[in-house]
Amino acid sequence: MVPRPSDGLVYVSGAWRTAADASVSVFDHGLLYGDGVFEGIRAYNGRVFKLERHIDRLFDSAKAIRLQIPNTHAEVCELVVETCRRNAIHDGYIRLVVTRGPGDLGIDPRKCPRAELIVIARQLTMYAAAASGIRVVTSTFRRNAPDATSPSIKSLNYLNNILARLEANDRGADEALMLDAQGYVAEATVDNFFIVSAHALLTPPTATNLKGVTRDTLLELAATLGITTEERPFTLFDVWTSKEAFICGTGAEVVPVVSVDDRTIGAGTIGPVTARLVTAYHDFVRSHGTPIGVSARTAATPATV
Ligand code: PXG
């Protein structure tokens, strides 16, 4: 098969291959057991947004599952930028995957001598802004407990979230809200969750959800906008009676939630605090990040004058 340039180049097993040739073994434990970790990163306006932060989280996820990434932090940053360069990405989506690598049948990671690092970078066409807001239902599936598969690990094992998403699909909703084992609000299936109460912008502490990069960015932006923020547990009652709610993540950015469990949130349209954050986030992501045009290592080095 003659590869088409539009197929793009994927970094896998230590080299860039055409998308058509980029493959992993059927004995890879990422496939057989979901044994691996990943990151989803965006590029805006020729820059990779929060590259270092995403790679920090990738290394933390890998450490938690005792997976040895075959490259250093600086090398992984550079591989991301180089993959963007080779695919001429200006605005795009980058998927980093580290699997336990090829082994034999049987879950024991000792069967896998070499972890597999994959970097995919695509032009972004998949995310349509859901500016008018989405309808959310609470899932009956609780988010994994911190002492089971910790939600802080961005692992290849998303069945907990997928079961919740299936339930939302069945109920005609756009997204599912997941609770923790105690019944407090945790997060959506691939996004963190915020509400606006009479007093503050609230989001749950991260023990029960992913330590989202977008979540952190919004907490910082809110502070600069003079919006009071609080990270504390809250319940569905607080959600149903909130003035505004939204989900946020690398893919979704900031998306208003206009109903939860058939209770209209606020006026049933995007609220003023959410609207300010949508604009602030939109501007921030387009003006910050690691330039794709130069080496990540050079960009990370502070200028000496
Ligand atoms: N919670 C979960 C469970 C996630 O998977 C977030 C929160 C938001 O985190 P960030 O760091 O993105 O703000 C995520 C992120 C995809 C995709 O292609 C998934 C995510 C991010 C980007 C792409 O499914 N999940």
Side-chain angles (χ1 to χ4, degrees), residues 14-288:
W16 279 277
R17 299 173 201 282
T18 59
D21 288 337
S23 56
V24 293
S25 163
V26 294
F27 292 101
D28 192 299
H29 280 210
L31 173 68
L32 289 176
Y33 301 110
D35 187 354
V37 295
F38 78 105
E39 275 299 318
I41 312 176
R42 289 276 287 268
Y44 295 92
N45 213 10
R47 303 167 195 252
V48 182
F49 184 62
K50 297 270 181 183
L51 174 60
E52 301 258 333
R53 173 74 181 74
H54 280 284
I55 305 308
D56 288 348
R57 188 171 65 186
L58 183 77
F59 273 82
D60 286 346
S61 293
K63 184 168 190 184
I65 66 165
R66 295 174 57 191
L67 172 63
Q68 182 68 45
I69 296 181
N71 300 79
T72 64
H73 188 289
E75 284 168 355
V76 177
C77 287
E78 178 55 24
L79 284 172
V80 168
V81 175
E82 183 60 23
T83 306
C84 287
R85 244 182 253 140
R86 288 184 186 225
N87 286 283
I89 301 293
H90 189 69
D91 291 279
Y93 176 71
I94 301 132
R95 167 63 60 92
L96 266 161
V97 185
V98 188
T99 76
R100 193 76 67 177
D104 205 343
L105 298 178
I107 65 164
D108 192 339
R110 286 176 300 187
K111 293 173 189 292
C112 307
R114 182 181 55 81
E116 180 71 82
L117 171 65
I118 300 165
V119 189
I120 303 168
R122 309 295 274 180
Q123 296 291 346
L124 197 69
T125 50
M126 58 183 167
Y127 292 109
S132 58
I134 58 167
R135 295 182 53 242
V136 168
V137 290
T138 306
S139 174
T140 57
F141 293 98
R142 298 299 174 99
R143 190 73 178 97
N144 284 333
D147 57 350
T149 307
S150 167
S152 300
I153 303 171
K154 199 161 166 58
S155 85
L156 294 183
N157 216 307
Y158 259 54
L159 278 179
N160 182 222
N161 318 54
I162 290 164
L163 287 168
R165 180 57 201 249
L166 284 171
E167 204 180 1
N169 294 351
D170 289 345
R171 293 164 60 188
D174 301 302
E175 174 57 299
L177 186 61
M178 302 185 76
L179 307 181
D180 69 16
Q182 275 69 49
Y184 293 100
V185 172
E187 62 179 334
T189 61
V190 286
D191 291 292
N192 289 112
F193 186 74
F194 282 76
I195 58 172
V196 178
S197 75
H199 310 288
L201 177 66
L202 292 177
T203 194
T206 56
T208 61
N209 52 64
L210 188 75
K211 299 178 196 301
V213 176
T214 316
R215 175 188 179 280
D216 276 357
T217 305
L218 288 171
L219 287 170
E220 285 166 23
L221 287 174
T224 66
L225 293 171
I227 298 166
T228 307
T229 61
E230 263 183 64
E231 295 177 64
R232 66 162 172 85
F234 56 85
T235 66
L236 277 178
F237 177 82
D238 302 313
V239 176
W240 294 337
T241 59
S242 66
K243 297 189 174 319
E244 303 178 34
F246 61 83
I247 61 168
C248 70
T250 297
E253 303 184 328
V254 181
V255 176
V257 171
V258 294
S259 92
V260 178
D261 301 326
D262 295 316
R263 277 96 168 158
T264 301
I265 304 300
T269 180
I270 184 168
V273 175
T274 309
R276 286 174 76 195
L277 289 170
V278 166
T279 305
Y281 188 76
H282 178 277
D283 295 346
F284 190 78
V285 295
R286 281 165 183 77
S287 53
H288 293 77

